[in-house]
């Protein structure tokens, strides 16, 4: 055990009495919102990677390690999204149950550096979000059976809202013609969205934002956008927008707005999962619709 974590472990007996509610830790902002929506007032939630923050390059703090030690339940995305969490859990005495909210999702496989890896961004499909919500509700009910009926009711209410949003997305996105289905974003975060509605998302960066594209890759992307007349180019909330702005300029396209990829907004409509999805849908449609 690292000295820091050993020191924190000594604090644990004190913190156990700090709250009667189940202590739940989520790895990033989207899971925090879904979990709070199901858990309501019954849980005490600590989230690790916050709004507008990039989970791919996250460096946990001593506070994060402390929260994990106190947790009764740790909710991660899984699919390789949080390598820093695996390292933190391996090196700590965290005793809480850990679940992957994505368990049961059919993962998209992509080739990165010659290896087949699962695409972690499963939350960008609304049918996957249903799986997330069911997994979270089940884990909360197992952790805290006395409030199980409430978790189930909140789950069902949330599933209805997801279904309503899905029908709207189907109506709007299915109306697009074949020539309006190419979209450029900063990194490969929208594979599941693209699969669900037959859009092709193209990005200068791969699955993880930590890989910087080469000048040759950027030049190739600009040539592709010019030759195919792609005009839907978007920045992401978790990324420096300069590269995308440069690509749009050189390809003769305009930046169509901000898409929320791996984190919610700190405030405003995109600060919840449902609001984020609605924002992304509206932003895409404003550019793609004739
Ligand atoms: Zn990502």
């Amino acid at each position: 055990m690292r000295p820091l974590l050993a020191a924190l472990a000594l604090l644990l007996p004190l913190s156990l009495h700090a709250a009667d509610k189940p202590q739940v830790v989520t790895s990033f902002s989207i899971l925090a919102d879904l979990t709070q929506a199901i858990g309501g007032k019954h849980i005490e939630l600590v989230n690790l990677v916050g709004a507008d923050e990039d989970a791919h390059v996250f460096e946990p703090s001593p506070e994060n390690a402390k929260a994990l030690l106190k947790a009764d339940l740790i909710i991660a995305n899984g699919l390789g999204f949080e390598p820093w969490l695996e390292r933190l859990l391996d090196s700590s005495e965290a005793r809480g149950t850990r679940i992957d909210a994505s368990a049961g999702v059919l993962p998209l496989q992509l080739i990165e550096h010659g290896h087949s890896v699962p695409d972690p961004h499963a939350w960008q499909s609304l049918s996957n979000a249903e799986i997330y919500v069911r997994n979270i509700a089940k884990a909360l009910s197992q952790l805290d059976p006395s409030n199980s009926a409430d978790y189930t009711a909140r789950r069902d209410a949330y599933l209805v809202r997801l279904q309503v949003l899905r029908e709207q997305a189907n109506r709007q996105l299915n109306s697009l013609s074949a020539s309006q289905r190419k979209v450029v974003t900063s990194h490969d975060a929208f594979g599941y969205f693209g699969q669900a509605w037959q859009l092709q998302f193209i990005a200068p960066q791969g699955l993880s934002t930590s890989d910087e594209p080469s000048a040759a890759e950027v030049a190739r992307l600009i040539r592709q956008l010019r030759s195919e007349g792609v005009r839907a180019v978007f920045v992401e909330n978790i990324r420096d927008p300069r590269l995308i702005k440069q690509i749009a300029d050189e390809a003769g396209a305009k930046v169509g707005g901000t898409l929320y990829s791996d984190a919610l907004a700190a405030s405003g409509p995109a600060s919840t999962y449902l609001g984020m999805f609605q924002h992304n849908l509206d932003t895409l449609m404003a550019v793609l619709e004739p």
Side-chain angles (χ1 to χ4, degrees):
M1 192 191 284
R2 291 177 194 163
L4 173 66
L5 291 169
L8 291 171
L10 293 175
L11 298 173
L12 189 64
L14 288 174
S15 58
L16 271 180
H17 303 287
D20 302 332
K21 293 180 181 180
Q23 306 284 304
V24 182
V25 170
T26 52
S27 62
F28 76 119
S29 56
I30 288 168
L31 291 181
D33 178 63
L34 295 177
T35 302
Q36 196 66 69
I38 308 303
K41 63 181 190 312
H42 303 306
I43 61 168
E44 198 74 40
L45 183 78
V46 174
N47 179 52
L48 302 184
V49 185
D52 293 322
E53 286 183 6
D54 185 349
H56 293 292
V57 294
F58 183 68
E59 290 185 15
S61 68
E63 281 294 305
N64 296 151
K66 203 167 143 188
L68 284 177
L69 284 176
K70 284 171 66 178
D72 301 306
L73 175 64
I74 298 158
I75 303 178
N77 181 72
L79 300 173
F81 187 55
E82 303 108 333
W84 47 268
L85 180 65
E86 315 305 336
R87 288 194 292 272
L88 205 53
L89 289 175
D90 282 350
S91 65
S92 85
E93 305 272 286
R95 290 168 300 181
T97 307
R98 176 255 171 89
I99 68 152
D100 285 346
S102 69
V105 162
L106 188 63
L108 286 174
Q109 296 286 331
L110 291 178
I111 305 294
E112 286 262 292
H113 309 297
H115 300 279
S116 175
V117 292
D119 179 347
H121 305 89
W123 59 86
Q124 291 293 355
S125 133
L126 290 171
S127 47
N128 286 344
E130 288 183 15
I131 296 175
Y132 279 50
V133 164
R134 289 182 193 281
N135 285 335
I136 291 167
K138 187 175 161 199
L140 290 178
S141 287
Q142 283 170 350
L143 174 68
D144 178 26
S146 62
N147 289 309
S148 175
D150 209 24
Y151 298 136
T152 303
R154 286 171 159 273
R155 176 199 69 190
D156 291 345
Y158 201 91
L159 290 174
V160 169
R161 299 182 70 190
L162 283 173
Q163 183 58 33
V164 169
L165 187 54
R166 186 134 70 109
E167 283 162 14
Q168 185 205 343
N170 287 345
R171 257 193 325 275
Q172 292 188 289
L173 293 166
N174 292 343
S175 73
L176 298 174
S177 72
S179 62
Q180 299 161 311
R181 291 179 170 271
K182 284 193 179 155
V183 179
V184 178
T185 59
S186 301
H187 84 296
D188 272 330
F190 293 93
Y192 293 89
F193 192 112
Q195 182 195 42
W197 289 285
Q198 293 86 49
L199 268 72
Q200 189 190 346
F201 284 86
I202 310 162
Q205 281 184 307
L207 282 181
S208 169
T209 53
S210 60
D211 302 323
E212 293 296 335
S214 70
E217 286 167 329
V218 172
R220 191 163 57 235
L221 177 59
I222 291 166
R223 279 198 304 276
Q224 184 192 354
L225 302 194
R226 279 207 195 117
S227 69
E228 297 177 10
V230 175
R231 57 202 172 95
V233 180
F234 299 91
V235 297
E236 289 176 27
N237 65 318
I238 61 163
R239 291 299 293 165
D240 184 331
R242 282 176 294 185
L243 176 63
I244 283 291
K245 284 182 174 153
Q246 178 207 335
I247 288 169
D249 275 354
E250 294 188 27
K254 218 171 65 192
V255 173
T258 300
L259 295 180
Y260 290 83
S261 49
D262 296 10
L264 300 176
S267 61
S271 60
T272 66
Y273 175 79
L274 292 166
M276 172 200 87
F277 204 94
Q278 184 76 58
H279 166 93
N280 285 348
L281 181 60
D282 294 345
T283 304
L284 284 166
M285 288 305 293
V287 174
L288 292 173
E289 239 175 352

